Amino acid sequence: MAKIPRNVIDEIRNSVDIGDVIGRYVQLHQAGKNLIGLCPFHDEKTPSFSVNEEKQFFYCFGCHRSGNVFQFLMELKHIDFVDAVKEIANDSNIKIPEQYVSVPAKPLNNENRQLFDLHDKAAKLYHHILVNTPAGQVALNYLKKRGMSEELIEQFGLGYAPDQRILKPFFQQQKVDYQLLRKSGLFSEDQQGELRDRFIERIMYPIKNGQGQVIAFSGRLIDTSKTNLPKYLNSPETPIFNKRRTLFNFDIARKAARKDGRLYLFEGFMDVISAFAAGIENGIASMGTSFTEEQVAIIGRATKQLDICYDGDQPGQNAIDRAISLVNDHRPNQLQVKVVQLPAGIDPDEYVQKYGPQQFNAYLTNKEETTTEFYLRFLRNGKNLDNQNELMQYLNQALKVIAQVQAPLEEDMYLQRLASAFNLDRQTLKTQLDQLRQQLGIHNQPWIKQQPSLVRHQQFQQTSEEEHRKVKLSRTELAEQILLRYMLYDREVWMHVTSDHDFHFAHEKYQTLYLLAASYFSENGSYSTADFLDYLDESSLQGTLGQIENLNVDQEVDMRAIDDCIHMIAEQTPLAAQIADKQAQLKEANSLHNTELATQLTIELVKLLKQQQRLKTEETN
């Protein structure tokens, strides 16, 4: 297998955002310019793992691992560099020339890539028909009547499948393999094995995976008078589409959730799109009516909070109850659940159309409630609370819900609300609640941990600084890091330092980085952190580069400060060189079994090491 060319590696690495890739495995949140989360490489309770999307690298202030997207996968999955490159290439639908790949990473990857390509072409064809042809005019008028702008139609790649079955001849013209068409889910098959377009006379909603690739479609019938046909028709499951693991708009919503700290779960695609038009980009929807534990796990990896925003009618409330129960049964990373319940008989799409985007935004903010508040209202449904037996039944159910609450202030608020609503003594309710907790075996067991994103970010910043201080740096080593930081980013500084042919970094790791950087610049005109990380084979060097990249230095170069760094390093370099030379002599004396010389050299080496240690002590004082 030939070595993968640098330009191919660069294309593959630049095809993805490192935040998106790491976000599949680590729950990331925006903190200033970076994304932060709990490090996947060591145990920690407060986040010290930082992802820099601008420079496309990660660094952990706790364990000091660092690298680009390839190194992240190599560390996480214990795979080699080539396999990491192939995995990113597969995700990005980039084909690596066969001479650079010995065996396929996965047997089905080639077929999957072809299926991705089919769906991409189908989406573009449906979209073209909708916006550019007379056949799509009826569907286009319908969408615009529902408040869909051209920008929104373009954003979601909406399309139209006309009554003429155009998809099969379109692919036949391109000589696409029959078996591949069968597996795509884009066609239905009769008893004779003939393929027919699955979607006709339907507005087409492309369904994408977490990487933004089209993997399926949902088609909405325009002519609802055809009661023998389903209003929505979804693609069947295929090698690239599993509805239990798919969430509509998740590829966009996941990024938005990093800033907002939450995802909104809506019932339908149009709800998500209408919310997007209102500025809510972190909305998602499950496929059809089913909300699954696999989707809960995906959401839990993406955010700390899920706001369920279903219709306010009875079916909608029942769906909220099922969704909350599902999250509680499969709660990942203590995912916090809130509820935003719309007025009965109106869904988010209708709300936006009726009241406008601004009021919809305000509603989501002002009407957000805890699951406890939801259940205290939900449990009333179907009960005659004027009847004493039904009232007692409701109060017992309500106390079971409150028993799960851990915050004393929140508990007191709910008890006071019950006491006021039914003219009861709050202390009596409290006594019964405590007895109920004993019966249920609940002893300070957290049900929902509230941790506002601002607090998390402050904790991260404090922890990061504390962890960073654990890396004890002498003044010389700090000077080496600062000097290298400026050399990498400023060509003038690089030329200034390298013009002194006798210059040498005092510590081996910085000298190694310097030599590797020289090799890098001989092949590249400009510096890229993610690119340079591929030159570093040792994790210790990657971690050192991560420390250097996270230095808080002035953007404007002060050449006097550069010269100060050079001078400080130069003072240490001769001593370091003497120590290295003496160690080499000692090694040779030992190999010759010259005991007398070895003893003398050992005494001299100890003196040099003591001198070096004294200088380091003086530097740190």
Side-chain angles (χ1 to χ4, degrees), residues 6 109 115 221 250 280 298 358 396 446 491 548 593 609:
R6 174 60 53 184
N109 273 340
L115 290 173
L221 199 65
F250 183 70
I280 308 297
I298 291 169
Q358 190 172 359
N396 285 328
R491 195 63 182 168
I548 292 169
H593 304 289
L609 290 172

Side-chain angles (χ1 to χ4, degrees), residues 48-292:
S48 61
F49 185 80
S50 172
V51 179
N52 188 313
E53 288 186 296
E54 180 185 354
K55 298 179 181 179
Q56 291 292 295
F57 81 102
F58 71 88
Y59 177 72
C60 177
F61 290 91
C63 65
H64 310 300
R65 282 183 172 88
S66 183
N68 60 22
V69 68
F70 298 139
Q71 279 113 27
F72 175 81
L73 291 178
M74 290 165 67
E75 286 271 0
L76 188 75
K77 298 188 174 185
H78 306 290
I79 58 179
D80 62 23
F81 179 76
V82 173
D83 284 337
V85 172
K86 286 194 287 186
E87 181 165 332
I88 296 298
N90 288 327
D91 282 351
S92 304
N93 202 21
I94 296 174
K95 188 172 183 180
I96 304 176
E98 292 182 5
Q99 65 265 34
Y100 305 123
V101 185
S102 56
V103 292
K106 297 178 183 177
L108 294 179
N109 273 340
N110 185 52
E111 180 181 82
N112 287 359
R113 187 180 294 111
Q114 293 174 336
L115 290 173
F116 286 133
D117 186 55
L118 282 186
H119 281 79
D120 181 64
K121 289 178 178 177
K124 289 176 179 175
L125 178 62
Y126 289 141
H127 181 69
H128 170 74
I129 292 170
L130 175 68
V131 300
N132 296 319
T133 71
Q137 194 60 50
V138 173
L140 190 61
N141 292 340
Y142 168 84
L143 290 171
K144 288 184 175 180
K145 189 176 180 180
R146 292 196 64 172
M148 297 279 285
S149 65
E150 293 180 2
E151 291 78 12
L152 213 54
I153 291 170
E154 188 71 32
Q155 169 69 40
F156 287 90
L158 303 187
Y160 180 65
D163 55 357
Q164 306 96 338
R165 299 179 186 268
I166 47 89
L167 198 59
K168 182 183 175 183
F170 173 73
F171 284 135
Q172 283 179 330
Q173 189 177 11
Q174 300 183 30
K175 298 181 180 180
V176 178
D177 180 66
Y178 168 80
Q179 292 300 330
L180 189 68
L181 295 179
R182 284 187 66 217
K183 292 181 180 180
S184 69
L186 297 170
F187 305 92
S188 55
E189 184 179 4
D190 61 23
Q191 293 181 343
Q192 288 72 42
E194 284 293 320
L195 299 180
R196 294 163 60 86
D197 289 18
R198 180 177 299 276
F199 301 100
I200 59 169
E201 295 186 90
R202 291 179 181 273
I203 293 173
M204 301 298 288
Y205 296 86
I207 309 300
K208 298 180 180 180
N209 61 15
Q211 291 73 57
Q213 297 167 302
V214 181
I215 57 174
F217 290 94
S218 182
R220 188 194 190 282
L221 199 65
I222 292 183
D223 187 357
T224 53
S225 64
K226 298 180 178 180
T227 54
N228 60 320
L229 296 175
K231 183 178 178 181
Y232 280 94
L233 178 65
N234 295 332
S235 293
E237 295 206 352
T238 69
I240 62 172
F241 172 55
N242 181 330
K243 68 178 181 180
R244 294 182 62 84
R245 299 177 181 274
T246 303
L247 291 159
F248 182 72
N249 193 48
F250 183 70
D251 58 313
I252 302 297
R254 178 176 59 190
K255 296 178 184 179
R258 294 173 190 161
K259 297 180 180 179
D260 191 43
R262 78 195 72 197
L263 286 169
Y264 287 99
L265 178 65
F266 296 106
E267 284 192 85
F269 303 151
M270 277 304 299
D271 297 333
V272 172
I273 295 173
S274 294
F276 191 97
I280 308 297
E281 297 184 6
N282 49 330
I284 55 175
S286 56
M287 302 301 300
T289 57
S290 60
F291 184 48
T292 68

